[in-house]
C-alpha cells in the first residue's frame, strides 16, 4: 500500500475503557459525551455500579487523544484514578450516546459525595431573569446533594429521593441537551417540578417564597430556626445577636461547646479571620467543610466570640453550601451560628416528622422541605497544620470516598470475604471492605443510647446495600462495656475478630499512608481498652496489622472518682499534684491555692488517693492534658468531651506558627523512665515551681507541650533501637493538637525518622473502624490462607 495512503487514511479502532475514581454524580458522563463529540469519536458511556464504562471508536489518533483527555482534562470534583483499556471489534457506530445504567458489576469505584453550590448556580439563584431565581434547590452536574439522596447505585435519578419529582418540560429540555451544564443532572428541578419549602412556627405557617421571607424575618428578630439542609437539620440564629446564641445554648443544653459560624462569602471571612492559602482552598472547595480559623482582633466588634466559642482561640467557619443557605444568609447580617439540629444526647434529626415532634422545644420556627434525605450526614470539620488541611471529622463532602487498602500478599491471588469494622463508642464511624477497597461511613457521633445504636445500624445497612456488601468478618473493640460492639456481634454467626483500640488507631494511619511493613505507632488519645484490661492512651507501639507490642507508655495516673474525673479535671489535677509532691502538707498547700472552690470535696478525694476508696489508674495523654489544664486554672470542669485538653492546646497554638528550630523555643520539663514507662512526677514538680515563680501561663503551656513531644521522641528512639524500624505513624485524638503535632514531627524528622500522619481520615476515634476492619482481614488471612491456597471450608 502507498505510504501516502496509509498516512492519510487511518484504520479505525474500538476500545472499552473501564474508568474508576470519582466518576458518578459529578457530571462525568456529560463530560465524556462532549469530549467524544469534539473529537469525532463514536460509541457510548454507561454507569455500572461504582464505575463508568466507555466504548469509543475512531481513528488511532482520535482514540489516543480521547483517552489522554479523559485522564488529564477533567476538573474537580471529577477525579479519574484508573482507566483500563481493552481492544474490541469495530461496531461502526454512527454517534456517541449516553446509555442507560446497569446495576451489575463490582462496584469498586468512587461514589458521589454531596457537593456545595457551584458559582454558575449561585449566579442563577441571584439572577431575577433566571427561572432558578431564589430557588432553594438549584443544582447542576457540578453541585448539589449526592450521597445523602442516594438509595442505591448506580447513581441515576430513579435511585435517589428525587424520583418523587418528575421533570417538567423546561427542565427536561435542559436534561437532554448535551451542551447544557444540567445535561443528565440527576438532581435537576425547578420551582415548577421540584420540592417545596414550608415555614412553621407555633402561630403561623407559610410556603414557597413566603416561607423564605418569614424565615429571614424570624432570624433578624433574634429567633432560632431549625433548617433542613442536605443531610439533616441545623439550628441557625443570627451570629451578631448574643442573646440569640445564649438562648440556643440554654435550650440545647450546650453551655460551652463551640458553635460553628456560617459566613455569607469568602470576603466576609477574610475581613474578620486570618485565612491562609491552604485554609482558603479548603473553605472554597466543593466539600465546603467547617475550617478552624483564628479571628482578627476587630472581629469581636461584630461577633460575640466568647459566646460562640468560649475559651477557644480558633473558631469553626464555613461557607453556605446549599442554595437555601445562600438565600437566607444574603438577607441577614451575613453571619449565622449553625449547629447540628438535634436535641442533646440524640442523633442528628433529618425527617420532617421527627423535627416537628422533637425540635420545637429548641427552635422558634422550622424551615422544612419536601425532599427526603436517604441517609443523614453531618458537616465535616478540619484544620490546617503545617500548610496541610487535615480532617478532624469526616462527613459531608468527603464520604463515601473509596480507600484501597494494603492486602496480605496471599490475597492478591485469591478472593476474600467482605469485612465490617464496627468502630469505637465515641466519635463513631463504621467501615466496610470489599475487594480490597474500604468505605468508611460519615461521622455518626457517640454511641450512648439505643437510639444511637439504631442510627448506626441504619447507616451501615444503607452502605451494605449501596456497595453490595454482605460481611463475613466483623472486627470490633473488645471493651466489655461497649454497647456498639455487643450490638454488632448479634445476628448471624460470622468470623469475629477483636481489635484493641490503640492497635486500630495505628493500623488506620498505616492504611491511609499505604504501609504494610512494621511501624512504630505513637498513639495519644483520651482512653481505650488495653491488652492488660486497663485504660491506655499514651503509647509507643511497634507492629503491623496482625500484632503489636507496647514499648513505652505513661506511668498510670490515679483517676479519683473514675468517670467523674473526666468531667471534673480539677480532680485529676489534684491527683497529679499529690503524686508529684509525695507530701500531704505540700499537696494541701497547692490544692488549697489552686482549687479553693472544691475544698469540701478534699476528704473524699484523699480517701481515694490513699487507696481507702478504690480508683482506677489510666495511661492516658488526654487525662494528663486535662489535669495540667486544671492545675493552670484553664478549665476546672469539662462540659463536653476533651474541653480541658482543647483549651490547654489553644494556648500553645500561636507558637505552632512561629518560625525557628526547636532550640529557639525554650526548654522542656524533666521526666523519668521507670520500667519502660514515662514518669511525669518530675514534670509536675517543675511545673508547680514555675507557677510559684509566676512564669506566664502561655510559657508553661509551651514547655509542657514540648515535654510531651520530647517523651514521644524518646519512646520512638527506644523502639527503633530495639527493632530497627524507622517508619513512625502518629494517631489518636490528641494529635489534633496543632502545636504538639508540629513539634513532635519536627523532632522525629530531625532524628531521621519517616513520619506519617492522618489527613483524609480523622486522627481521633473516627478512624478506628478502618483500622479494625483491615486488622480483622489480615488476621483472617493469616488463619485461612495457606501458602497460596484459600481455605474457604473452615467450620464455624
Amino acid at each position: 500500500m502507498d505510504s501516502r495512503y496509509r498516512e492519510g487514511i487511518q484504520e479505525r479502532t474500538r476500545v472499552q475503557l473501564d474508568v474508576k475514581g470519582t466518576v458518578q454524580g459529578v457530571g462525568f458522563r456529560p463530560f465524556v459525551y462532549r469530549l467524544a463529540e469534539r473529537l469525532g469519536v463514536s460509541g457510548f458511556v454507561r454507569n455500572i455500579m461504582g464505575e463508568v464504562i466507555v466504548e469509543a471508536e475512531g481513528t488511532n489518533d482520535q482514540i489516543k487523544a480521547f483517552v489522554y483527555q479523559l485522564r488529564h482534562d477533567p476538573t474537580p470534583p471529577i477525579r479519574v484514578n484508573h482507566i483500563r483499556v481493552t481492544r474490541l471489534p469495530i461496531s461502526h457506530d454512527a454517534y456517541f450516546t449516553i446509555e442507560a445504567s446497569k446495576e451489575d458489576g463490582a462496584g469498586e469505584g468512587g461514589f458521589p459525595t454531596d457537593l456545595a453550590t457551584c458559582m454558575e448556580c449561585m449566579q442563577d439563584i441571584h439572577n431575577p431573569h433566571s427561572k432558578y431565581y431564589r430557588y432553594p434547590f438549584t443544582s447542576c452536574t457540578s453541585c448539589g446533594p449526592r450521597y445523602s439522596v442516594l438509595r442505591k447505585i448506580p447513581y441515576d435519578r430513579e435511585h435517589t429521593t428525587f424520583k418523587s419529582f418528575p421533570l417538567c418540560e423546561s427542565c427536561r429540555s435542559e436534561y437532554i441537551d448535551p451542551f447544557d451544564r444540567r445535561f443528565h443532572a440527576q438532581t435537576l428541578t425547578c420551582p415548577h417540578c421540584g420540592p417545596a419549602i414550608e415555614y412553621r412556627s407555633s402561630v403561623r405557617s407559610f410556603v414557597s417564597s413566603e416561607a423564605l421571607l418569614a424565615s429571614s424575618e424570624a432570624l433578624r428578630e433574634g429567633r432560632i430556626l431549625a433548617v433542613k439542609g442536605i443531610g439533616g437539620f441545623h439550628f441557625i440564629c443570627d451570629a451578631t445577636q448574643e442573646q440569640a446564641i445564649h438562648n440556643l445554648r440554654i435550650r440545647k443544653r450546650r453551655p460551652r461547646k463551640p458553635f460553628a459560624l456560617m459566613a455569607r462569602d469568602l470576603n466576609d471571612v477574610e475581613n474578620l479571620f486570618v485565612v491562609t492559602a491552604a485554609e482558603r482552598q479548603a473553605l472554597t472547595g466543593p466539600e465546603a467543610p467547617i475550617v478552624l480559623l483564628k479571628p482578627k482582633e476587630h472581629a469581636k466588634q461584630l461577633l460575640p466570640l466568647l459566646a460562640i466559642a468560649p475559651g477557644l482561640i480558633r473558631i469553626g467557619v464555613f461557607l453556605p453550601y446549599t442554595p437555601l443557605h445562600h438565600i437566607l444568609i444574603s438577607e441577614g447580617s451575613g453571619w449565622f451560628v449553625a449547629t447540628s439540629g438535634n436535641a442533646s444526647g440524640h442523633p442528628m434529626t433529618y425527617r420532617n416528622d421527627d423535627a416537628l415532634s422533637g425540635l420545637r422545644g429548641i427552635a422558634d420556627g422550622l424551615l422544612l422541605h419536601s425532599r427526603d434525605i436517604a441517609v443523614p450526614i453531618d458537616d465535616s470539620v478540619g484544620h490546617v497544620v503545617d500548610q496541610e488541611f487535615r480532617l478532624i471529622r469526616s462527613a459531608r463532602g468527603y464520604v463515601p470516598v473509596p480507600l484501597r487498602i494494603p492486602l496480605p500478599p496471599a490475597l492478591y491471588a485469591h478472593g476474600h470475604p467482605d469485612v465490617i469494622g464496627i468502630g469505637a463508642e465515641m466519635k463513631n464511624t463504621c467501615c466496610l471492605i470489599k475487594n480490597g477497597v474500604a468505605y468508611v461511613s460519615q461521622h455518626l457521633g457517640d454511641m450512648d443510647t439505643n437510639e444511637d445504636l439504631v442510627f448506626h445500624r441504619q447507616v451501615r445497612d444503607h452502605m451494605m446495600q449501596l456497595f453490595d456488601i454482605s460481611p463475613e468478618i466483623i472486627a470490633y473493640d473488645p471493651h466489655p462495656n461497649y454497647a456498639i460492639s455487643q450490638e454488632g456481634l448479634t445476628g448471624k454467626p460470622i468470623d469475629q475478630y477483636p481489635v484493641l483500640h490503640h492497635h486500630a488507631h495505628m493500623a488506620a494511619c498505616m492504611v491511609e499512608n499505604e504501609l504494610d511493613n512494621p511501624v512504630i505507632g505513637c498513639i495519644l488519645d483520651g482512653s481505650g481498652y488495653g491488652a492488660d484490661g486497663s485504660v491506655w492512651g499514651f503509647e509507643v507501639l511497634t507492629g503491623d496489622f496482625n500484632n503489636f507490642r507496647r514499648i513505652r507508655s505513661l506511668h498510670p495516673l490515679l483517676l479519683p472518682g473514675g468517670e467523674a474525673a473526666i468531667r471534673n479535671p480539677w480532680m485529676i489535677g489534684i491527683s497529679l499534684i499529690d503524686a508529684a509532691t509525695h507530701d500531704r502538707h505540700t499537696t494541701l498547700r497547692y490544692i488549697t491555692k489552686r482549687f479553693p472552690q472544691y475544698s469540701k470535696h478534699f476528704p473524699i478525694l484523699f480517701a481515694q488517693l490513699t487507696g481507702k476508696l478504690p480508683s482506677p489508674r489510666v495511661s492516658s495523654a488526654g487525662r494528663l492534658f486535662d489535669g495540667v489544664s486544671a492545675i493552670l486554672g484553664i478549665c476546672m470542669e469539662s462540659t463536653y468531651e476533651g474541653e480541658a485538653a482543647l483549651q490547654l492546646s489553644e494556648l500553645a497554638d500561636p507558637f505552632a506558627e512561629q518560625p525557628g528550630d526547636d532550640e529557639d523555643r525554650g526548654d522542656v520539663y524533666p521526666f523519668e523512665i521507670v520500667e519502660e514507662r514515662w514518669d511525669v512526677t518530675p514534670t509536675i514538680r517543675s511545673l508547680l515551681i514555675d507557677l510559684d515563680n509566676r512564669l506566664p501561663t502561655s510559657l508553661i503551656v509551651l514547655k509542657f507541650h514540648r515535654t510531651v513531644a520530647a517523651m514521644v521522641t524518646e519512646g520512638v528512639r527506644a523502639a527503633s533501637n530495639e527493632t530497627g524500624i524507622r517508619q513512625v505513624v502518629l494517631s489518636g485524638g490528641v494529635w489534633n493538637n496543632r502545636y504538639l503535632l508540629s513539634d513532635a514531627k519536627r523532632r522525629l524528622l530531625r532524628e531521621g525518622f519517616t513520619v506519617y500522619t492522618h489527613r483524609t481520615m480523622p486522627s481521633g476515634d473516627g478512624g478506628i473502624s478502618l483500622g479494625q476492619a483491615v486488622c480483622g482481614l489480615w488476621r483472617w488471612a493469616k488463619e485461612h490462607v495457606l501458602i497460596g491456597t484459600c481455605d474457604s471450608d473452615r467450620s464455624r
Side-chain angles (χ1 to χ4, degrees):
M1 182 182 294
D2 187 272
S3 60
R4 289 173 297 175
Y5 180 80
R6 290 199 306 270
E7 292 172 3
I9 302 176
Q10 294 187 22
E11 294 185 1
R12 292 181 66 80
T13 186
R14 186 179 185 89
V15 294
Q16 176 176 305
L17 309 175
D18 300 89
V19 188
K20 295 182 180 180
T22 304
V23 290
Q24 289 197 15
V26 289
F28 182 66
R29 287 182 295 169
F31 163 75
V32 174
Y33 179 92
R34 288 189 287 268
L35 177 62
E37 286 282 297
R38 187 169 69 249
L39 295 175
V41 170
S42 62
F44 66 84
V45 58
R46 171 188 289 147
N47 277 346
I48 297 184
M49 292 294 284
E51 62 185 86
V52 171
I53 300 297
V54 181
E55 289 195 16
E57 187 172 317
T59 66
N60 287 331
D61 286 348
Q62 287 173 322
I63 297 302
K64 286 180 181 178
F66 182 73
V67 174
Y68 179 86
Q69 292 182 46
L70 277 186
R71 293 183 191 275
H72 300 287
D73 285 3
T75 57
I78 298 171
R79 184 175 67 242
V80 174
N81 296 336
H82 176 72
I83 300 178
R84 185 178 65 192
V85 181
T86 307
R87 295 277 180 178
L88 296 175
I90 300 296
S91 294
H92 301 290
D93 294 334
Y95 307 102
F96 194 91
T97 59
I98 295 179
E99 299 289 313
S101 299
K102 287 189 175 181
E103 300 183 18
D104 55 351
E108 299 175 30
F111 293 85
T113 62
D114 299 299
L115 303 172
T117 308
C118 68
M119 291 299 298
E120 289 83 359
C121 284
M122 283 178 58
Q123 292 170 2
D124 287 343
I125 294 163
H126 297 297
N127 178 7
H129 303 293
S130 170
K131 75 173 184 177
Y132 299 105
Y133 178 57
R134 290 174 57 81
Y135 178 55
F137 306 98
T138 306
S139 69
C140 67
T141 54
S142 297
C143 67
R146 298 291 192 269
Y147 178 60
S148 61
V149 300
L150 188 59
R151 289 200 165 107
K152 60 184 295 189
I153 54 174
Y155 175 70
D156 286 322
R157 189 182 185 92
E158 64 182 24
H159 297 154
T160 74
T161 59
F162 280 84
K163 180 181 180 180
S164 305
F165 305 98
L167 294 173
C168 64
E169 286 303 315
S170 175
C171 288
R172 172 66 62 182
S173 66
E174 293 177 275
Y175 185 84
I176 63 175
D177 182 354
F179 297 99
D180 192 291
R181 78 170 196 277
R182 294 187 169 93
F183 179 49
H184 278 252
Q186 308 304 333
T187 57
L188 172 60
T189 61
C190 76
H192 301 292
C193 61
I197 59 172
E198 179 182 7
Y199 174 82
R200 290 198 195 183
S201 71
S202 58
V203 295
R204 53 186 180 172
S205 176
F206 298 102
V207 296
S208 190
S209 59
E210 291 185 345
L212 291 173
L213 293 174
S215 299
S216 297
E217 180 184 357
L219 290 166
R220 286 193 295 269
E221 291 174 351
R223 301 187 188 281
I224 298 166
L225 294 190
V227 178
K228 188 177 181 182
I230 279 183
F233 279 82
H234 282 110
F235 289 124
I236 289 179
C237 67
D238 188 330
T240 66
Q241 301 188 42
E242 187 168 358
Q243 186 59 50
I245 300 170
H246 179 67
N247 292 340
L248 179 55
R249 288 202 176 279
I250 292 174
R251 295 182 196 177
K252 202 177 178 187
R253 292 184 285 173
R254 187 170 173 168
R256 292 199 298 270
K257 191 173 183 180
F259 289 134
L261 286 171
M262 181 182 287
R264 176 167 36 214
D265 55 37
L266 183 63
N267 289 335
D268 283 1
V269 176
E270 295 187 321
N271 181 43
L272 296 188
F273 289 83
V274 178
V275 183
T276 66
E279 289 165 343
R280 184 180 303 110
Q281 183 178 7
L283 281 168
T284 58
E287 301 87 359
I290 297 171
V291 181
L292 301 186
L293 301 176
K294 185 180 295 185
K296 296 179 178 177
E297 180 60 29
H298 65 269
K300 60 187 177 184
Q301 297 174 8
L302 176 65
L303 300 172
L305 301 180
L306 291 178
I308 295 166
L312 301 183
I313 295 174
R314 290 181 176 266
I315 297 176
V317 180
F318 63 135
L319 296 175
Y321 56 85
T322 74
L324 182 57
H325 292 139
H326 280 287
I327 295 167
L328 288 177
I329 205 164
S330 67
E331 298 176 351
S333 68
W335 290 94
F336 286 158
V337 159
T339 187
S340 299
N342 60 292
S344 179
H346 294 268
M348 188 176 186
T349 303
Y350 67 102
R351 296 188 180 100
N352 289 347
D353 290 345
D354 293 337
L356 290 168
S357 62
L359 302 185
R360 278 186 160 166
I362 302 174
D364 298 302
L366 292 92
L367 185 55
L368 314 171
H369 61 68
S370 58
R371 193 261 297 158
D372 289 339
I373 295 171
V375 62
I377 189 163
D378 212 335
D379 297 315
S380 295
V381 182
H383 61 170
V384 171
V385 185
D386 296 336
Q387 291 79 54
E388 190 170 24
F389 182 69
R390 303 169 189 272
L391 282 173
I392 297 172
R393 183 173 79 192
S394 180
R396 176 188 49 76
Y398 295 93
V399 173
V401 175
L403 184 63
R404 187 157 290 280
I405 66 170
L407 289 173
L411 290 188
Y412 283 104
H414 297 278
H416 57 79
D418 298 345
V419 188
I420 182 169
I422 290 295
E425 187 175 51
M426 302 184 71
K427 300 178 178 64
N428 180 272
T429 61
C430 62
C431 174
L432 297 169
I433 294 177
K434 182 182 183 70
N435 295 333
V437 177
Y439 305 93
V440 181
S441 78
Q442 64 270 37
H443 166 83
L444 302 179
D446 298 344
M447 298 291 107
D448 295 329
T449 66
N450 286 333
E451 191 177 7
D452 296 321
L453 299 179
V454 170
F455 179 45
H456 187 282
R457 191 182 311 120
Q458 173 196 350
V459 170
R460 70 180 191 245
D461 287 349
H462 179 257
M463 291 178 65
M464 285 190 284
Q465 177 184 348
L466 282 186
F467 308 142
D468 189 27
I469 293 177
S470 298
E472 298 172 65
I473 297 172
I474 181 170
Y476 65 97
D477 193 306
H479 193 297
N481 297 326
Y482 271 14
I484 185 61
S485 295
Q486 296 168 11
E487 191 274 340
L489 293 173
T490 60
K492 66 178 183 179
I494 58 179
D495 282 313
Q496 302 173 359
Y497 291 94
V499 180
L500 287 166
H501 189 92
H502 298 96
H503 188 198
H505 265 307
M506 183 176 77
C509 196
M510 291 175 63
V511 174
E512 183 175 347
N513 290 283
E514 301 179 353
L515 305 174
D516 57 8
N517 292 320
V519 300
I520 299 170
C522 303
I523 316 301
L524 278 63
D525 66 358
S527 62
Y529 190 66
D532 58 4
S534 67
V535 175
W536 292 8
F538 195 160
E539 323 298 326
V540 171
L541 313 174
T542 59
D544 52 24
F545 294 124
N546 286 311
N547 301 290
F548 73 91
R549 192 159 60 89
R550 195 185 196 193
I551 301 294
R552 280 282 190 277
S553 62
L554 182 67
H555 185 81
L557 312 173
L558 191 65
L559 204 64
E563 291 289 327
I566 299 175
R567 300 186 297 273
N568 296 276
W570 66 269
M571 299 169 70
I572 306 175
I574 290 177
S575 176
L576 290 174
I577 292 172
D578 185 65
T581 62
H582 298 295
D583 177 77
R584 187 51 41 84
H585 176 75
T586 307
T587 296
L588 274 171
R589 177 172 66 85
Y590 274 115
I591 68 175
T592 301
K593 183 178 180 180
R594 307 305 302 177
F595 311 110
Q597 66 271 45
Y598 303 109
S599 59
K600 66 179 181 180
H601 301 292
F602 290 171
I604 191 170
L605 207 67
F606 280 126
Q608 294 169 321
L609 294 175
T610 58
K612 292 180 180 179
L613 292 176
S615 292
R617 289 186 176 272
V618 300
S619 164
S620 167
R623 301 294 80 82
L624 176 62
F625 274 76
D626 287 349
V628 170
S629 181
I631 291 172
L632 297 179
I634 296 168
C635 181
M636 302 293 187
E637 300 176 14
S638 289
T639 63
Y640 58 90
E641 195 271 330
E643 179 181 5
L646 178 58
Q647 291 193 14
L648 180 72
S649 71
E650 287 281 276
L651 294 182
D653 184 90
F655 296 101
E657 301 166 356
Q658 294 181 4
D661 295 329
D662 292 326
E663 289 79 6
D664 303 326
R665 296 169 180 262
D667 58 355
V668 301
Y669 289 120
F671 58 89
E672 296 178 353
I673 301 164
V674 180
E675 296 179 349
E676 309 303 326
R677 292 173 170 174
W678 297 298
D679 183 355
V680 293
T681 53
T683 306
I684 302 303
R685 279 196 296 269
S686 297
L687 185 151
L688 292 173
I689 292 172
D690 278 350
L691 274 175
D692 287 342
N693 293 333
R694 300 183 183 278
L695 190 72
T697 300
S698 61
L699 293 183
I700 296 176
V701 170
L702 176 62
K703 287 177 67 175
F704 172 71
H705 277 73
R706 288 173 48 79
T707 303
V708 173
M711 292 164 64
V712 168
T713 305
E714 185 282 328
V716 169
R717 190 185 306 121
S720 181
N721 289 340
E722 185 174 329
T723 64
I725 300 171
R726 303 296 293 175
Q727 294 180 311
V728 182
V729 300
L730 309 180
S731 190
V734 172
W735 291 114
N736 287 325
N737 184 316
R738 297 177 72 252
Y739 179 81
L740 182 64
L741 179 61
S742 293
D743 192 33
K745 276 183 60 182
R746 219 172 8 246
R747 292 169 183 269
L748 293 168
L749 291 171
R750 192 175 61 195
E751 297 203 13
F753 292 101
T754 306
V755 183
Y756 299 93
T757 61
H758 291 283
R759 299 170 307 280
T760 59
M761 291 298 302
S763 62
D765 284 4
I768 287 287
S769 64
L770 172 63
Q772 289 174 344
V774 176
C775 285
L777 179 59
W778 275 67
R779 284 165 57 186
W780 178 91
K782 187 175 181 181
E783 293 180 7
H784 290 67
V785 181
L786 307 174
I787 315 177
T789 302
C790 182
D791 175 11
S792 59
D793 300 322
R794 178 196 181 204
S795 60
R796 301 184 184 274

